[in-house]
Structure formats: structure tokens, C-alpha cells
Amino acid sequence: QVQLQESGPGLVKPSQTLSLTCTVSGGSITTNDYFWNWIRQPPGKGPEWIGNIAYSGSTYYSPSLKSRTSISRDTSKNQFTLQLTSVAPKDTALYYCARSVQGWGYRAYDYWGQGTQVTVSS
């Protein structure tokens, strides 16, 4: 059973960098064919895919967030990290990490973290 757990500050000031870590247990983030994702859901809105890091270490980002997003990993700790720069109140959301497989035109999630609330406010 794969488990994912998000961690990081719940409150970030505007213009600062949001940094979240997802710790994975029960499976390696380097296992072939799996992608490790960050998704967020602002209050009252649907989920938004932020980006992911593949088993190979390659990264993929949402075009709308690409300029502010960086996803990295620490294979020794079986963790992957999201950094979102220059945050604003619009970045307030419930942030999730999740595992997926993906191919041309699809991405299918099978395991999710419980989510962590991040509020951007001064």
C-alpha cells in the first residue's frame, strides 16, 4: 500500500515562496512508469494540476504555472518537493500530492495524500 503525506507551512506571505514536501512510503518514487504529482484545489473551485516529476526525474508543469513552479526530489528520502514562487492570495488552496501513470492524453491517479491547506496572507 502506497502512502503519501504532504508537509509544509500552512501560511505563506504574499511574494514569498511556497514550499511543500511529499513523503512517500510503501513504494519508491523511482519505480518505472509512475509520476508524482502536485494538485491544488482553491476554495469553491475545481482541482488544478500543478505539475509532476517522473520516475526518471523528468519534470512537467502546467503552462499557466510553469514560470513560478519547480518540482524536485530526494530519492534517498523518497520525497518530492514543490516550490511555487511569488505567491499571491489566489494561490490559497488545498494542496495534494498524488501518484499517477500517464500517457498521450491521459493521466490516471491511484494514490493521494490527505492534502494540506496553504493560505497566502500577510
Side-chain angles (χ1 to χ4, degrees), residues 1-4 24-38 49 51-60 71 73 75 78 80 98-103 106-112:
Q1 177 83 358
V2 175
Q3 294 184 315
L4 298 92
V24 179
S25 59
S28 171
I29 62 173
T30 61
T31 299
N32 280 358
D33 299 331
Y34 288 113
F35 293 74
W36 303 90
N37 299 265
W38 287 101
W49 179 73
N52 64 28
I53 186 164
Y55 57 96
S56 61
S58 297
T59 52
Y60 305 87
I71 298 175
R73 68 180 184 176
T75 56
N78 216 34
F80 62 105
R99 190 181 81 167
S100 73
V101 294
Q102 69 184 46
Y106 78 92
R107 183 179 300 115
Y109 303 101
D110 56 0
Y111 291 101
W112 291 74

Side-chain angles (χ1 to χ4, degrees), residues 9-95:
L11 181 64
V12 184
K13 295 184 185 303
S15 81
Q16 292 187 342
T17 296
L18 181 163
S19 184
L20 296 175
T21 296
C22 183
T23 301
V24 179
S25 59
S28 171
I29 62 173
T30 61
T31 299
N32 280 358
D33 299 331
Y34 288 113
F35 293 74
W36 303 90
N37 299 265
W38 287 101
I39 301 112
R40 69 182 185 180
Q41 186 163 15
K45 296 185 179 181
E48 177 183 26
W49 179 73
I50 300 170
N52 64 28
I53 186 164
Y55 57 96
S56 61
S58 297
T59 52
Y60 305 87
Y61 302 114
S62 167
S64 65
L65 294 169
K66 184 175 183 178
S67 64
R68 300 195 290 129
T69 306
S70 177
I71 298 175
S72 59
R73 68 180 184 176
D74 185 336
T75 56
S76 68
K77 296 181 180 179
N78 216 34
Q79 295 175 332
F80 62 105
T81 299
L82 167 70
Q83 289 198 313
L84 184 66
T85 63
S86 303
V87 297
K90 66 180 181 178
D91 295 309
T92 293
L94 192 55
Y95 284 75

